[in-house]
Amino acid sequence: MITVKSAAEVALMARAAAIVVEALREARRLILPGNNTAAVDRAIKKTIEDAGGRPAFLGYMGFPASSCISLNAEVVHGIPSPERVIKEGDLVSMDVGVELEGYYGDAAFTVAVGDDAPALLACGRRCLSEAIARCRAGNRLGDVSNAIEKTARDAGFDVIREYVGHGIGTKMHEEPQVPNFGPPGRGPRLVPGIALALEPMVVNGDWRTTVSGDKWTVVTRDGGPSAHFEHTVIITDDEPRVLTRGWEEFA
Ligand code: MG
């Protein structure tokens, strides 16, 4: 069942989302050649806890860290580790979720380490902004999904099929699932108070994935690079409200 959030609930989600953005800001500062991803994760955990939140990923289905940090052909769910050292030229995807007083926020971005930002990153951001633009009362969920797929394909890229965005609120993952592909004009109708974590995952190459030996990290089968961008968004009577707005300025 898709739940509709009250104004009070949205206010709590906004507080959780603000902590997500602060944690991502701290992470971005540390995405430098020579730093390892466990150090980035520690800084994220500290930022979240200092703000009174709880890292939502930590312990989720046994996940061992406070963030997912996925490099290059890794799509999502990369596990931070001291052995995983960031190098010049890497694509680094950062995904952070926070729970505060029973409400959740969730956001992600991908950056290139070094000067050479591939077109894939600009495309992923555009997929997200096009999806947000479709988050209007009266539209169907398929309109959002289709905007992501069309934007990616028009740029010569593709989208991951096996992992999707989701509803969010009192749980990190609520209904509905939000695929990054599919026909417009289908699916549930959007009404004010629906909260969605939109998360286009775009690839330069084939969309098929596999899960690596650590049982978590999702990688492209063909080794092609992947980028992931996510916002927590509320449907309103008017413009969509992006609760995790802010990372665009520093990512
Ligand atoms: Mg998410």
Side-chain angles (χ1 to χ4, degrees):
M1 195 185 64
I2 302 173
T3 60
V4 168
K5 275 71 185 177
S6 69
E9 289 182 300
V10 171
L12 281 165
M13 290 180 69
R15 289 177 57 206
I19 301 173
V20 171
V21 177
E22 280 319 296
L24 286 171
R25 185 191 306 278
E26 188 61 19
R28 180 66 189 91
R29 226 173 47 77
L30 295 171
I31 299 175
L32 297 168
N35 282 354
N36 71 70
T37 57
V40 179
D41 185 69
R42 273 198 304 280
I44 288 168
K45 182 170 192 279
K46 183 174 190 313
T47 303
I48 294 170
E49 290 177 345
D50 286 354
R54 182 182 68 80
F57 296 175
L58 185 61
Y60 182 82
M61 294 173 75
F63 190 76
S66 298
S67 60
C68 296
I69 308 182
S70 309
L71 307 177
N72 303 315
E74 298 170 358
V75 179
V76 287
H77 305 167
I79 302 175
S81 155
E83 277 86 57
R84 289 157 55 78
V85 176
I86 296 165
K87 302 184 309 295
E88 189 76 21
D90 277 347
L91 283 187
V92 182
S93 298
M94 295 293 326
D95 193 352
V96 171
V98 168
E99 183 254 319
L100 182 77
E101 296 176 24
Y103 286 85
Y104 286 80
D106 191 2
F109 62 70
T110 301
V111 291
V113 181
D115 297 331
D116 228 15
L120 182 68
L121 296 192
C123 174
R125 282 180 177 237
R126 207 158 56 243
C127 286
L128 181 55
S129 60
E130 291 293 328
I132 292 168
R134 302 306 189 287
C135 284
R136 286 183 165 271
N139 281 357
R140 308 284 284 263
L141 192 64
D143 301 331
V144 178
S145 296
N146 182 259
I148 295 171
E149 180 181 13
K150 183 172 188 319
T151 303
R153 286 174 167 276
D154 285 353
F157 300 118
D158 212 335
V159 292
I160 297 292
R161 312 294 166 93
E162 296 150 317
Y163 299 86
V164 298
H166 50 96
I168 183 167
T170 55
K171 289 187 294 210
M172 188 159 64
H173 296 127
E174 299 185 354
E175 288 184 48
Q177 293 198 342
V178 187
N180 292 317
F181 62 94
R186 306 257 186 95
R189 199 166 297 278
L190 301 179
V191 298
I194 288 181
L196 301 173
L198 305 176
E199 46 183 324
M201 301 159 208
V202 295
V203 288
N204 190 355
D206 193 280
W207 56 265
R208 290 169 186 83
T209 63
T210 187
V211 177
S212 74
D214 66 17
K215 304 267 204 309
W216 277 103
T217 311
V218 175
V219 297
T220 57
R221 285 194 198 179
D222 68 0
S226 174
H228 177 211
F229 296 88
E230 180 178 23
H231 268 311
T232 299
V233 178
I234 308 288
I235 314 299
T236 77
D237 290 319
D238 189 26
E239 298 280 326
R241 182 172 170 202
V242 182
L243 297 187
T244 44
R245 188 69 83 194
W247 59 248
E248 302 86 346
E249 284 130 49
F250 54 80

